[in-house]
Amino acid sequence: MKKNLWFSLVTIAVLSGVILAACSPAAPAAPAVAEEKPAAEAPAAEAPKKTEIALIIKATDSGFWQQAMEGGKAFAADHPDVNVTDYGPASEADVDEQLSILENVITSGPDVIVIASNAGEGAVAPLKEAGEKGIIVNAIDTAIPSDDITTFLATDNVLGGGLAAQAMVDELNKAGIPLEGKVAIVAAVAGVPAIIDRDGGFMDKMAELAPNIEVFEPVYVNNEIEKALAETEQIITREGDALIGIYADNNHTGDGVGRAIKQAGLQDSVIVVAYDDDQEELDFLAEGVIKTLIIQDPHNMAYAGMEYALKALAGEEVPSFVDTGVIVKKAE
């Protein structure tokens, strides 16, 4: 009897514990540990946009225009926030190609165009489009009859032609050659304002300084050295001893004329004065084949052209014309 009572009590106690355990609230679960995520990286700052400048030259085959390209490179080196891109046809006679280049450049939408145009009035319509797009356009070396040009930077070519005439007369006097006879002009390209101005300046000043000298109308050679050489040979043959001087109005004509005069051995009897200063012209000057060079500054034309364009882009007032000057360099 006692044994049964003890068993009953144990059973009750066990059951009571199970019931209590079942009724007790569950222990709170351990909080989940949030997975740490790396901090988001800040977006990289965009590089500041560079000012885009297009430099369009007349010819890539010319030492003169290569100096202009060097001026553009120097400007870019001095202005890290600027990007300069060069364009140009192979020859100054490639007028249509330069116009196509100009149109493509305008379509690409640079901030600035600095152009030495060989197209004259042909460039007016494209430049009107450039103006409508807000592109600053500066012309160098050769004027363009367009209201969309902000600043024109060039040699005063009428003055330069006059200086060439003065040099011709000085050298004729120095050589003891009377101021009577014939002087020829071997010219680069017809219809180019810079060429017209420098030839006109030469002819007008020669008429003033030496009225008894007959100055021929310019013979154009499409800026080809070999053609300038051939034309000069024909002039020498045709005019004989009456020929006392030749004026070459740019570097390629100067090279061709110099070759012809040197080959004929006429450097002491035919005075040559030329524009520009490529290496062959400088060699002829050192040899006395060319007596005087009228030297422009294409490097500064390009550099200053970009400088004034950036000022205009910033809203500053800029001049409409800048004379980049010339140097008269004589044979020693």
Side-chain angles (χ1 to χ4, degrees):
M1 174 89 178
K2 289 182 180 178
K3 186 176 179 180
N4 288 338
L5 178 62
W6 178 85
F7 179 79
S8 296
L9 291 172
V10 170
T11 300
I12 291 168
V14 170
L15 290 173
S16 298
V18 171
I19 292 168
L20 287 171
C23 295
S24 298
V33 178
E35 183 181 346
E36 279 194 24
K37 295 182 179 178
E41 294 183 5
E46 288 186 12
K49 182 180 179 295
K50 290 191 173 187
T51 300
E52 293 291 334
I53 298 179
L55 173 61
I56 304 176
I57 58 170
K58 290 185 178 182
T60 57
D61 68 349
S62 166
F64 181 88
W65 292 112
Q66 287 167 10
Q67 290 182 53
M69 287 192 290
E70 289 300 319
K73 290 175 184 175
F75 189 84
D78 292 343
H79 300 79
D81 56 341
V82 162
N83 185 55
V84 176
T85 306
D86 301 323
Y87 303 89
S91 166
E92 288 195 27
D94 296 335
V95 176
D96 289 341
E97 184 180 349
Q98 197 201 47
L99 279 173
S100 178
I101 288 169
L102 174 59
E103 289 165 356
N104 290 336
V105 165
I106 291 169
T107 299
S108 72
D111 300 292
V112 168
I113 295 174
V114 175
I115 181 171
S117 174
N118 53 21
E121 291 187 4
V124 172
L127 292 182
K128 180 174 178 58
E129 181 184 346
E132 290 169 350
K133 293 180 72 170
I135 299 171
I136 298 295
V137 181
N138 280 354
I140 61 174
D141 182 70
T142 301
I144 304 171
S146 168
D147 293 335
D148 295 294
I149 300 297
T150 302
T151 300
F152 172 44
L153 303 95
T155 304
D156 182 337
N157 282 295
V158 173
L159 173 62
L163 291 172
Q166 182 66 64
M168 176 70 73
V169 170
D170 291 347
E171 293 297 333
L172 287 168
N173 287 331
K174 183 178 176 181
I177 299 172
L179 299 183
E180 49 190 49
K182 298 178 179 181
V183 168
I185 300 175
V186 179
V189 181
V192 176
I195 297 297
I196 293 169
D197 286 349
R198 70 183 62 159
D199 292 350
F202 177 82
M203 296 171 77
D204 289 347
K205 194 68 174 177
M206 285 295 294
E208 175 189 329
L209 297 174
N212 293 328
I213 292 178
E214 181 183 356
V215 179
F216 298 145
E217 290 294 318
V219 175
Y220 297 102
V221 297
N222 284 332
N223 207 44
E224 297 175 18
I225 296 173
E226 291 302 321
K227 192 169 182 180
L229 167 61
E231 288 288 351
T232 303
E233 289 174 337
Q234 290 181 32
I235 292 167
I236 291 169
T237 300
R238 183 177 68 243
E239 303 302 333
D241 293 341
L243 183 68
I244 60 173
I246 299 177
Y247 168 54
D249 63 15
N250 81 340
N251 59 323
H252 281 187
T253 57
D255 292 344
V257 170
R259 291 178 192 181
I261 293 297
K262 183 176 180 178
Q263 289 171 14
L266 294 176
Q267 55 262 41
D268 295 328
S269 57
V270 178
I271 300 302
V272 177
V273 175
Y275 244 77
D276 302 329
D277 64 334
D278 70 15
Q279 190 55 55
E280 190 168 5
E281 284 184 305
L282 291 170
D283 291 343
F284 285 141
L285 186 72
E287 296 168 11
V289 175
I290 292 177
K291 302 302 183 185
T292 303
L293 291 175
I294 308 301
I295 300 174
Q296 304 180 83
D297 193 352
H299 185 285
N300 185 47
M301 286 181 195
Y303 191 103
M306 295 176 189
E307 193 168 42
Y308 281 105
L310 289 191
K311 289 181 179 180
L313 201 59
E316 296 182 36
E317 187 174 344
V318 294
S320 59
F321 175 72
V322 174
D323 183 356
T324 53
V326 295
I327 297 171
V328 178
K329 186 174 180 65
K330 296 181 176 291
E332 295 180 359

